[in-house]
Amino acid sequence: MSASAVYVLDIKGKVLINRNYRGDIDMSAIDKFMPLLMDREEEGQMTPILSHNNVTFVFTKHNNLYLVATTKKNANVMLVFSFLHKIVQVFIEYFKDLEEESIRDNFVIIYELMDEVMDFGYPQTTDTRILQEYITQEGHKLEIAPRPPPAVTNAVSWRSDGIKYRKNEVFLDVIESVNLLVSANGNVLRSEIVGAIKMRVYLSGMPELRLGLNDKVLFESTGKGGKSKSVELEDVKFHQCVRLSRFENDRTISFVPPDGEFELMSYRLNTHVKPLIWVESVIERHAHSRVEYMIKAKSQFKRRSTANNVDIVIPVPQDADSPKFKTTVGSCKYSPESNTVVWTIKSFPGGKEYLMRAHFGLPSVMSEDSEGKPPIHVKFEIPYFTVSGIQVRYLKIIEKSGYQALPWVRYITQNGDYQLRIQ
């Protein structure tokens, strides 16, 4: 069971727009929401779920708006939260900015959308691309409302019938972000890989795609465990198009894709990652006169790979001036507004080591170093490479007309939250 009613409130709790889906709760119940919220804030008990008598308020805040759902049944609260976040996305797709002004300017179309995204308290079509086929920005001007596309009533609600392309292609990107925190004495304190498989699909008809990865669970179940390199994926999340029962049974990722761009799946590996770009810093402070930096950057990945657009962001004192730089490669730029030096290396091949020296003058009265030392941040992108070793073994495209399609696969590793503390 889901929501009885959905409201959009301004920052003071005034109702801007609402929709009663089930009629089992008095619509004036929303008057209790703001006092309840303020009481909880005063008590220091912030929670996204509030209750009064037999009514439960589930809410989320976006900009200067509250989106609130009410229910009195034993509702699936996570489904309600998911729905509220989804309609925020739908409104942003339609109006670019979701705020009080865009709600007031688009009452008619918002009522149309609220009628379509939920029916009698049950979520329906929340895919913006499907909604935009029959609820247009000028939809309320039409004398005859167009019929909803068949996708709304199909089992495959995320894809329309009759899609045609002259050239059938699929682009698949495996993108991994490395989160890393290294202590001042060189110990790795935290490391994880956050991955996503993103797709752009330009295929005619209603194709079925099957994706095979070097998945450890699959390899062990089929007896390939010792022969090939495999990856143990954690926290796997799929797009709604993936047949979960099929994946649970035989680890096959089988799906009818949406048209265009979407994220097929995301995953995480909580594994020890060897730092791809290692940075060492030697800092000499000469009181009341100058500070000197020697920064050494080393790429610790295979020579056949190259990191592109590497930025090594080094913090410097707030009162530093008169910067001078010397580098073996790349260029340096002092950013006084952020109190950093950015060392940019356009191309950083594997197994290389580069040096940068920086010299700053300091005023005669040196500021107290009371706020601690910010870490060095590193930004990079390594194409044709995954740090986890994940591989696309196959991507099969099955369509009843039997056309030929070209699948293109790319691998990219990039920085996530990549920090190295300095002494």
Side-chain angles (χ1 to χ4, degrees):
M1 192 66 67
S2 191
S4 295
V6 172
Y7 303 79
V8 181
L9 314 181
D10 68 13
I11 199 71
K12 294 177 182 175
K14 183 184 173 187
V15 177
L16 299 175
I17 199 164
N18 60 45
R19 181 69 173 83
N20 188 354
Y21 290 106
R22 300 184 64 83
D24 58 348
I25 295 176
D26 190 332
M27 292 299 280
S28 65
I30 196 66
D31 297 341
K32 302 291 182 188
F33 170 74
M34 213 61 192
L36 280 171
L37 183 64
M38 293 174 80
D39 287 346
R40 287 294 175 91
E41 284 180 350
E42 284 175 16
E43 293 166 10
Q45 297 179 343
M46 290 302 293
T47 168
I49 303 171
L50 301 170
S51 293
H52 179 76
N53 293 339
N54 62 346
V55 178
T56 302
F57 302 94
V58 181
F59 70 95
T60 183
K61 189 180 180 189
H62 183 86
N63 290 339
N64 56 352
L65 301 173
Y66 289 101
L67 285 89
V68 186
T70 55
T71 179
K72 64 191 296 189
K73 302 284 186 182
N74 185 15
N76 181 335
V77 173
M78 289 312 296
L79 178 63
V80 179
F81 275 126
S82 181
F83 174 77
L84 290 176
H85 285 284
K86 197 71 189 173
I87 61 171
V88 168
Q89 289 174 17
V90 169
F91 290 161
I92 289 170
E93 286 281 329
Y94 269 87
F95 316 128
K96 301 295 181 276
D97 293 316
L98 178 56
E99 53 194 13
E100 188 176 334
E101 193 176 337
S102 60
I103 295 287
R104 293 186 186 282
D105 289 346
N106 295 281
F107 272 143
V108 173
I109 198 162
I110 289 171
Y111 274 121
E112 287 184 28
L113 287 168
M114 290 177 89
D115 278 344
E116 293 299 331
V117 295
M118 184 171 272
D119 185 29
F120 197 62
Y122 296 96
Q124 302 295 312
T125 305
T126 55
D127 189 307
T128 316
R129 277 177 292 196
I130 301 297
L131 289 167
Q132 284 174 339
E133 288 187 29
Y134 65 105
I135 298 180
T136 65
Q137 234 81 350
E138 293 79 34
H140 58 279
K141 294 178 185 173
L142 297 172
E143 290 178 19
I144 303 168
R147 287 180 62 187
V152 174
T153 51
N154 279 355
V156 184
S157 61
W158 52 87
R159 186 179 179 90
S160 300
D161 280 330
I163 295 170
K164 286 195 175 78
Y165 285 100
R166 206 162 39 182
K167 188 178 183 181
N168 292 292
E169 292 180 301
V170 177
F171 297 88
L172 186 148
D173 289 344
V174 180
I175 301 169
E176 291 191 340
S177 300
V178 179
N179 295 332
L180 187 82
L181 178 61
V182 178
S183 70
N185 59 6
N187 293 327
V188 176
L189 302 176
R190 178 176 70 94
S191 67
E192 69 171 357
I193 303 161
V194 179
I197 295 181
K198 299 187 177 183
M199 299 190 73
R200 283 174 294 143
V201 174
Y202 308 112
L203 295 174
S204 306
M206 197 66 76
E208 181 181 331
L209 274 62
R210 287 178 196 161
L211 174 68
L213 304 171
N214 56 335
D215 176 13
K216 187 175 182 182
V217 177
L218 171 66
F219 276 29
E220 285 176 352
S221 66
T222 54
K224 294 180 183 174
K227 301 172 194 171
S228 310
K229 184 177 178 188
S230 59
V231 175
E232 189 168 5
L233 303 175
E234 300 168 39
D235 290 348
V236 180
K237 296 184 181 72
F238 288 112
H239 187 276
Q240 62 172 340
C241 66
V242 174
R243 295 186 178 94
L244 293 179
S245 57
R246 180 84 189 266
F247 180 75
E248 285 160 10
N249 287 339
D250 59 14
R251 304 293 281 193
T252 299
I253 301 170
S254 171
F255 58 100
V256 175
D259 186 46
E261 203 168 320
F262 69 102
E263 183 172 295
L264 176 70
M265 64 178 277
S266 63
Y267 58 89
R268 186 178 61 84
L269 282 94
N270 208 349
T271 181
H272 181 77
V273 180
K274 183 182 178 183
L276 297 170
I277 294 178
W278 183 256
V279 180
E280 291 178 26
S281 59
V282 177
I283 303 167
E284 288 184 23
R285 293 176 177 84
H286 303 273
H288 314 313
S289 62
R290 69 188 191 279
V291 59
E292 293 176 350
Y293 292 78
M294 191 190 78
I295 308 294
K296 184 164 72 175
K298 186 179 180 183
S299 52
Q300 300 191 132
F301 46 86
K302 290 178 181 173
R303 291 180 184 276
R304 65 170 179 261
S305 295
T306 299
N308 296 331
N309 304 317
V310 178
D311 280 347
I312 300 168
V313 183
I314 305 127
V316 298
Q318 290 184 12
D319 48 0
D321 59 22
S322 312
K324 292 175 187 170
F325 307 112
K326 193 176 180 183
T327 66
T328 54
V329 73
S331 62
C332 288
K333 184 185 178 187
Y334 173 44
S335 300
E337 69 279 0
S338 59
N339 300 307
T340 57
V341 170
V342 182
W343 179 16
T344 299
I345 303 167
K346 288 287 182 193
S347 180
F348 200 150
K352 293 284 186 183
E353 188 173 299
Y354 298 127
L355 281 173
M356 187 274 279
R357 291 179 185 273
H359 177 284
F360 286 90
L362 291 172
S364 57
V365 181
M366 193 172 173
S367 66
E368 289 296 317
D369 201 6
S370 58
E371 295 178 9
K373 299 179 187 109
I376 291 172
H377 288 260
V378 186
K379 301 173 185 175
F380 59 86
E381 188 174 275
I382 309 172
Y384 320 113
F385 173 84
T386 58
V387 68
S388 70
I390 194 171
Q391 289 178 341
V392 174
R393 290 169 50 240
Y394 61 82
L395 180 60
K396 294 177 182 171
I397 302 160
I398 304 149
E399 216 278 331
K400 62 184 179 185
S401 62
Y403 60 71
Q404 294 298 305
L406 294 169
W408 305 90
V409 179
R410 283 191 311 180
Y411 299 93
I412 300 167
T413 292
Q414 62 192 21
N415 65 284
D417 185 15
Y418 196 104
Q419 302 181 23
L420 301 101
R421 290 177 179 165
I422 58 179
Q423 289 181 330

